[in-house]
């Protein structure tokens, strides 16, 4: 099914009256991938690996992406293989210029009107989530931010991360909806009962290794689409506005 109001695919666009908790990934989801903010973080991750392992940047980037593919995040790989202090890594990679973040009044308006609670759930740090939402003028709209430190550094898509999020914020996934730009991170969410929404973009990810690329629209849209993705949208604000019409 397809709803042109919100770029929605896969499931019929029905009522969202069951949703009490709205859960949003941060990077490339709550803000658009096209602003390239995550590219700054990515560059600083490469720099951290280069310094730690005394590798040239091109070799460090290969290690960085291998850890991402094998462990879910670069940080998880560095902690497992090299026993690093995660706070050092998070401080380094999130020390970025936030000026590329856009002002999104339509998104702000839609979030303001959503009933129930709103959460940010990221594989980055809680501090990163809070500084980004503050810069975007959205921080007052969220009931909490869940960072990688809140799951004892276990990242999405490992099931323990979702369990930690649900426990900390007392979230019943059967009454919640999960927005995420990485299709693989939606599979465990769907498994425990979340309604799932893949937020895609038209950004060119060809510079990334295949295993580290977010899913493209063509990857997820077959005859019926993957079982773990209920909706796909390229416009988060429009999706939320359309969802509000069903309430």
């Amino acid at each position: 099914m397809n709803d042109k109001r919100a770029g929605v695919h896969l499931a019929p666009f029905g009522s969202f009256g069951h949703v009490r908790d709205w859960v949003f990934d941060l990077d490339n989801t709550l803000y658009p991938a096209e602003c390239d903010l995550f590219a700054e973080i990515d560059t600083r991750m490469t720099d951290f690996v280069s310094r730690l392992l005394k590798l040239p940047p091109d070799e460090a980037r290969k290690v960085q992406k291998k850890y991402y593919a094998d462990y879910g995040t670069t940080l998880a790989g560095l902690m497992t293989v090299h026993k690093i202090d995660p706070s050092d890594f998070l401080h380094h990679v999130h020390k970025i210029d936030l000026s590329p973040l856009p002002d999104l009044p339509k998104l702000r308006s839609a979030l303001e009107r959503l009933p129930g609670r709103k959460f940010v759930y990221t594989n980055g740090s809680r501090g990163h989530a809070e500084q980004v939402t503050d810069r975007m003028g959205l921080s007052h709209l969220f009931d909490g931010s869940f960072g990688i430190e809140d799951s004892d550094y276990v990242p999405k898509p490992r099931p323990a991360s979702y369990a930690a999020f649900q426990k900390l914020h007392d979230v019943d996934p059967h009454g919640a909806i999960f927005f995420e730009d990485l299709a693989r991170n939606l599979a465990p969410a769907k498994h425990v009962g979340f309604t799932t929404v893949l937020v895609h973009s038209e950004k060119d990810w060809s510079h990334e290794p295949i295993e580290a690329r977010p899913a493209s629209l063509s990857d997820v849209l077959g005859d019926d689409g993957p079982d773990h993705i209920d909706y796909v949208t390229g416009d988060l604000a429009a999706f939320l506005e359309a969802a509000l019409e069903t309430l």
Side-chain angles (χ1 to χ4, degrees), residues 75 94 188:
L75 173 58
H94 291 141

Side-chain angles (χ1 to χ4, degrees), residues 87-160:
S87 62
D88 293 340
F89 175 86
L90 292 170
H91 176 75
H92 183 83
V93 304
H94 291 141
K95 195 174 182 180
I96 57 173
D97 174 19
L98 299 176
S99 62
L101 286 168
D103 181 42
L104 300 173
K106 289 184 178 179
L107 177 62
R108 187 180 304 114
S109 174
L111 288 168
E112 285 175 341
R113 291 182 287 134
L114 289 178
R117 300 183 299 170
K118 279 86 72 176
F119 297 100
V120 175
Y121 176 6
T122 176
N123 273 345
S125 70
R126 191 183 332 113
H128 173 57
E130 290 169 354
Q131 71 177 358
V132 167
T133 54
D134 186 58
R135 174 77 183 201
M136 295 177 72
L138 302 176
S139 57
H140 65 291
L141 301 176
F142 288 96
D143 295 272
S145 295
F146 186 89
I148 191 72
E149 63 269 50
D150 296 309
S151 62
D152 198 24
Y153 301 99
V154 175
K156 297 177 283 185
R158 289 164 62 180

Side-chain angles (χ1 to χ4, degrees), residues 175-196:
I177 187 168
F178 200 108
F179 298 84
E180 169 72 61
D181 70 305
L182 295 173
R184 70 176 184 171
N185 289 349
L186 290 175
K190 182 63 178 177
H191 179 73
V192 297
F194 284 93
T195 299
T196 57

